[in-house]
Amino acid sequence: MIPKNLGELLSDSARQHPLRTAIVFGQKKINYHHLDEAASAIACGLIRLGIKKQDRVALFLDNCPEFIIGYYAILKAGAVAVPINHMFKADEAAYILQDSQATCLVASRPYVDMAQDLQTRIDGLKYIVTTVKIKEEIPDFDKLKSHGKHEHLLNEISPEPNDLAVILYTSGTTGHPKGAMLSHYNLISNAMDSSAAIKASRKEAFICVLPLFHSFAATVCMNMPLYLGAKIVIMKSFRPFRRVIRAIRKNRVTIFTG
């Protein structure tokens, strides 16, 4: 059965494989049940914060479990995820935030100062959320989760298949980056077709060394393995490459995407 939206895709896998490992990041492991619970709780926190259906919420994160948790929390809240290249300078990030009309920016510790600077420059950017507690005045993931998960909030705002899910920006080689508008069904179709093309199963272990803000990694290193109920081994960087080799051996990786 085809999931109605990406939030449902994750919840379906969590129901079918609650104790299977979804994410490996160094020594940290997160199973499907905890991944889905965290995304749902943060989604409810975003709704209480003031995020409305189809609001644009930007992600300014490097490769980490919080990228996946934040991405799916945004989608479960009925909002639109706008991943931004975390290597961008402030002016480059500002253009995407303005062009997408983002109302919220999710940032990790290294990017908090830049996020606050961007908020002063962009009128529509109402909220900043951090992945860990950094400043008292900025809500973080734990604070959003502390109010608990309330299914009625998610049910009321549950996205339809053709609702906008993600705006992915091009590299801007011929001018400013352009935002490609993708629906839930676009991205679910990509995940399902990709898994069929390589005959992948839930027994796979994918290693993610490519940046998750990019369309290819988002499909083959995140959405596809989560659709299958497979394992994602997240690497923050290609370098040093011996760490990648070690992670491949330790986690018995079966699929390397490049």
Side-chain angles (χ1 to χ4, degrees):
M1 186 173 174
I2 299 173
K4 189 171 97 169
N5 56 57
L6 284 157
E8 193 175 282
L9 177 150
L10 176 58
S11 295
D12 286 351
S13 289
R15 278 192 292 272
Q16 292 173 51
H17 322 288
L19 300 181
R20 284 185 69 85
T21 299
I23 296 172
V24 177
F25 185 62
Q27 300 302 312
K28 184 176 185 178
K29 292 185 178 181
I30 303 172
N31 66 33
Y32 271 88
H33 171 74
H34 288 132
L35 175 61
D36 187 53
E37 287 288 302
S40 294
I42 292 168
C44 292
L46 288 171
I47 293 167
R48 289 194 193 87
L49 185 66
I51 299 301
K52 298 178 178 62
K53 191 167 185 177
Q54 293 292 284
D55 275 0
R56 277 62 163 158
V57 180
L59 289 161
F60 205 63
L61 306 169
D62 50 18
N63 277 15
C64 58
E66 290 76 19
F67 186 102
I68 297 177
I69 293 167
Y71 182 98
Y72 275 84
I74 292 163
L75 299 173
K76 280 173 174 277
V80 179
V82 185
I84 300 178
N85 183 340
H86 61 83
M87 293 172 276
F88 273 178
K89 295 181 173 66
D91 286 347
E92 294 172 302
Y95 173 79
I96 289 176
L97 290 167
Q98 288 174 322
D99 188 67
S100 65
Q101 300 179 326
T103 58
C104 179
L105 175 60
V106 178
S108 54
R109 188 182 297 277
Y111 313 115
V112 171
D113 290 340
M114 186 192 292
Q116 288 190 290
D117 175 60
L118 289 167
Q119 190 176 31
T120 64
R121 295 165 53 181
I122 299 168
D123 291 339
L125 190 60
K126 299 177 186 175
Y127 315 105
I128 293 173
V129 173
T130 55
T131 54
V132 295
K133 186 173 181 177
I134 298 168
K135 298 185 178 182
E136 196 62 45
E137 68 274 17
I138 302 177
D140 59 82
F141 275 11
D142 281 343
K143 188 172 183 179
L144 293 182
K145 284 192 289 187
S146 66
H147 297 291
K149 183 184 73 167
H150 293 280
E151 287 295 346
H152 74 276
L153 288 176
L154 302 183
N155 291 336
E156 285 171 10
I157 208 162
S158 180
E160 294 300 316
N162 290 318
D163 281 352
L164 183 61
V166 178
I167 302 177
L168 287 172
Y169 276 80
T170 65
S171 58
T173 50
T174 55
H176 283 303
K178 282 53 168 200
M181 303 169 75
L182 301 170
S183 71
H184 284 266
Y185 190 68
N186 287 150
L187 294 166
I188 291 168
S189 297
N190 281 354
M192 293 175 69
D193 290 349
S194 296
S195 66
I198 65 171
K199 298 179 174 59
S201 75
R202 68 175 183 274
K203 296 178 182 178
E204 312 294 354
F206 292 71
I207 190 160
C208 179
V209 292
L210 299 172
L212 283 164
F213 62 75
H214 191 273
S215 59
F216 182 65
T219 293
V220 297
C221 296
M222 179 171 64
N223 294 334
M224 176 167 66
L226 292 180
Y227 163 69
L228 292 168
K231 182 193 296 180
I232 307 166
V233 180
I234 301 176
M235 304 299 297
K236 193 176 283 287
S237 171
F238 258 121
R239 298 186 180 123
F241 197 69
R242 65 178 179 274
R243 282 189 189 165
V244 178
I245 298 296
R246 198 179 302 137
I248 289 171
R249 287 174 174 159
K250 182 179 177 182
N251 296 288
R252 299 183 180 182
V253 166
T254 60
I255 295 178
F256 182 104
T257 58

